[in-house]
Amino acid sequence: MVVSKTDVEAAAVRDEIPHDHLYKVTGLSSTNLEKLAQEPGSDFETAIAATGYGWFNIVLMLCTLPAFWSAVSVTSAPSFIFTRAQCDLQLRLLDMGTINAMTYMGMISSAMIWGFLSDTLGRRCILVWGFFCSGLVEVAAAFSQNYTMLLITRFCSGFLFNGPFAVLISYLAEMHRTDLRARVLLLTSLFFTIANTTLPLLAWAIITKDLDFNIFGNSVVIHSWNLFLLAAAMVPLVTGVVFFFLPESPKFLMSRGRNEEALMGFRWIYSLNTGKPPETYPITKLEEEKTKQRGRGVEALRGGCTQLAPLFKPPHLAWLVLICVIHMGCMFGSNTIRLWYPQLAAMIGSEGNETLCSAIAPGPVVEEIDCTPIQTDMLTYLQSAIVGAGSVLTYGIGGALINKCGKRSVAGVCGVLSAVFIVVLPFTGSKALTLVAMFTSGLALTSLCSATLSSIAVELFPTSLRVMAMATFLMTGRVGTIMGTVIFPALMEFGCLPPFMTIAVVLMICGLACFFLPNTTLKKLE
């Protein structure tokens, strides 16, 4: 047999490293190593599915609870202080709407910045520092002594909070496999329900008390509503600390070509879920995802603009515009009702007002010297808690139906039905139970519509564009909130019907537009 030079050289190469040494180092023979090198790497969906479902997912969900509670407290806490703070800060109805809107204006102004930073620098650092710094600003807001200071701190809080919350939705999606993703994103909205239920109770426990004292030589006066804001500020601070102990998103790491770090993350999740050693994780190699931008730090920032450009070009642009416009209208109705309900509930029954329309009917301007805070009791805040808790049933039903009926169908039906409930509000009479039921149903349906739209938006865009798309998605929703919180008190000056009819028409249009969205049910992340 004639042995060619090539064969000799090949044999020499094979014998360069002894078989026993390869086995000791890797646990694999040279033949198996050659096969492993030729095998294609596993994609993200295969890798995340191999981690299973267990303690990590449970811990992750528990960690998101204070994050979603923070989202409610940052945006809704001011609406509970107006009954007491309106005299301390000399607030009119339009001033109240402006304060509610200012938080969302801060969110809008930072939407693009946070989306860019997260899609280039990572998810975890944004979650940690964003929540923590937002909590610090919330503490400053709690010490507000005048209308101007409250406006400025509300803006700054919204500016800082917008980023981590947009990242949170993408982070959750990237930590769950395909068949669980939509349900998890929908069921996490139950945390909104918990927050909307407990925040009014916290307000009742603190704001209704006559607590007034001076600090720093009488230069700062602390009222009960200041203490309520301070208590709410503790939650985002805790949230930032909690996310410090969670890993970076493996999907983000893979999109940056950092597969070794991603594989370590998968192994850690697998070990926590199954109780087995990380070395037993069945995936040994990840596929190389193609991306125009890799690395981290300044290198990542330099390529950011080039990477994000496709979001604003076909085919992504059309879907981005459609889903953002729908979300804007949905938030126009949902957040306007949610933010104004505590004040409306306090007004109903006060000074002889027995119906919704009599409570918001235009009246004489109250002079500053005669200003008397609206007296509230437990029933006022309990009504707000019931309205907040009303989403439990709809989220449960939505979680069961979303994969069977399709996300766009769930969103569309909820939008149309919510419009029906809102339009009949002015005609419900004077029974408090009926009003609470109508408010609860309308708010629950709009909340489910919004949560479903978020799930669609997450799966509609690839990883490199996802957080930027979500930031834009949430930004437009906040534009709708600003419009609603300012327009609502302005329309109240014209009577009872205009504000509710306007909201109902907007929600009806948005519900019908949902049926034109693409079908993303059970779609894999790109």
Side-chain angles (χ1 to χ4, degrees), residues 89 99 102 137 139-156 220 225-226:
L89 302 180
I99 291 173
M102 190 58 66
V137 175
V139 171
F143 290 93
S144 297
Q145 297 297 295
N146 52 61
Y147 174 66
T148 303
M149 181 178 179
L150 187 58
L151 278 184
I152 294 173
T153 51
R154 298 318 306 165
F155 177 87
C156 294
V220 177
W225 59 267
N226 295 103

Side-chain angles (χ1 to χ4, degrees), residues 181-513:
R181 191 168 297 129
R183 293 179 180 177
V184 166
L185 290 176
L186 186 60
L187 291 177
T188 52
S189 298
L190 285 173
F191 294 156
F192 279 122
T193 302
I194 295 174
N196 283 319
T197 304
T198 56
L199 189 63
L201 299 180
L202 180 65
W204 165 74
I206 299 177
I207 294 179
T208 54
K209 304 294 187 297
D210 292 326
L211 303 173
D212 300 285
F213 53 90
N214 302 326
I215 59 176
F216 303 118
N218 298 331
S219 59
V220 177
V221 182
I222 301 298
H223 306 283
S224 57
W225 59 267
N226 295 103
L227 295 177
F228 167 69
L229 292 180
L230 184 61
M234 296 298 104
V235 183
L237 286 175
V238 172
T239 304
V241 175
V242 165
F243 275 103
F244 179 80
F245 299 97
L246 293 179
E248 177 61 272
S249 164
K251 179 62 176 174
F252 170 80
L253 294 173
M254 288 179 66
S255 71
R256 293 298 175 273
R258 295 155 60 182
N259 282 8
E260 288 301 320
E261 296 176 59
L263 193 57
M264 290 176 61
F266 283 127
R267 288 170 179 165
W268 187 80
I269 296 172
Y270 168 81
S271 178
L272 193 59
N273 278 341
T274 63
K276 299 178 182 179
E279 296 78 15
T280 60
Y281 178 60
I283 305 298
T284 57
K285 184 179 180 182
L286 300 174
E287 71 174 5
E288 295 291 336
E289 293 191 354
K290 302 298 182 181
T291 179
K292 296 182 179 180
Q293 178 187 343
R294 296 177 182 266
R296 64 183 83 183
V298 176
E299 179 186 352
L301 289 173
R302 289 174 179 171
C305 294
T306 302
Q307 175 188 328
L308 297 176
L311 181 63
F312 303 101
K313 298 178 181 178
H316 300 305
L317 179 61
W319 298 128
L320 180 67
V321 171
L322 178 59
I323 198 168
C324 285
V325 170
I326 295 174
H327 192 234
M328 181 189 299
C330 183
M331 291 297 97
F332 178 91
S334 177
N335 281 338
T336 300
I337 294 297
R338 179 173 63 87
L339 293 174
W340 273 99
Y341 184 79
Q343 183 68 13
L344 293 175
M347 294 167 65
I348 297 173
S350 66
E351 299 180 359
N353 295 322
E354 297 181 353
T355 66
L356 179 62
C357 286
S358 63
I360 66 176
V365 178
V366 178
E367 297 293 336
E368 177 183 342
I369 191 172
D370 297 325
C371 181
T372 302
I374 297 176
Q375 296 301 315
T376 55
D377 53 21
M378 183 179 181
L379 182 60
T380 302
Y381 296 100
L382 188 59
Q383 289 179 16
S384 297
I386 294 173
V387 171
S391 302
V392 173
L393 182 60
T394 53
Y395 281 134
I397 296 174
L401 297 179
I402 192 167
N403 286 340
K404 295 181 179 180
C405 300
K407 298 174 187 176
R408 61 183 178 186
S409 298
V410 172
V413 170
C414 287
V416 172
L417 289 180
S418 65
V420 174
F421 281 104
I422 297 299
V423 79
V424 300
L425 269 173
F427 309 102
T428 53
S430 58
K431 292 184 178 180
L433 182 60
T434 305
L435 283 172
V436 170
M438 300 304 292
F439 270 109
T440 300
S441 300
L443 184 60
L445 288 167
T446 55
S447 298
L448 180 56
C449 178
S450 175
T452 308
L453 288 173
S454 297
S455 179
I456 295 174
V458 164
E459 298 178 344
L460 201 55
F461 303 96
T463 302
S464 60
L465 304 176
R466 185 168 298 121
V467 171
M468 187 63 176
M470 288 304 301
T472 306
F473 172 82
L474 294 174
M475 179 191 69
T476 53
R478 283 148 189 165
V479 170
T481 300
I482 292 174
M483 294 170 60
T485 54
V486 175
I487 291 175
F488 190 83
L491 291 176
M492 285 168 63
E493 298 294 332
F494 298 96
C496 182
L497 293 179
F500 295 102
M501 292 299 176
T502 302
I503 291 176
V505 170
V506 171
L507 289 175
M508 179 65 72
I509 294 174
C510 291
L512 296 175

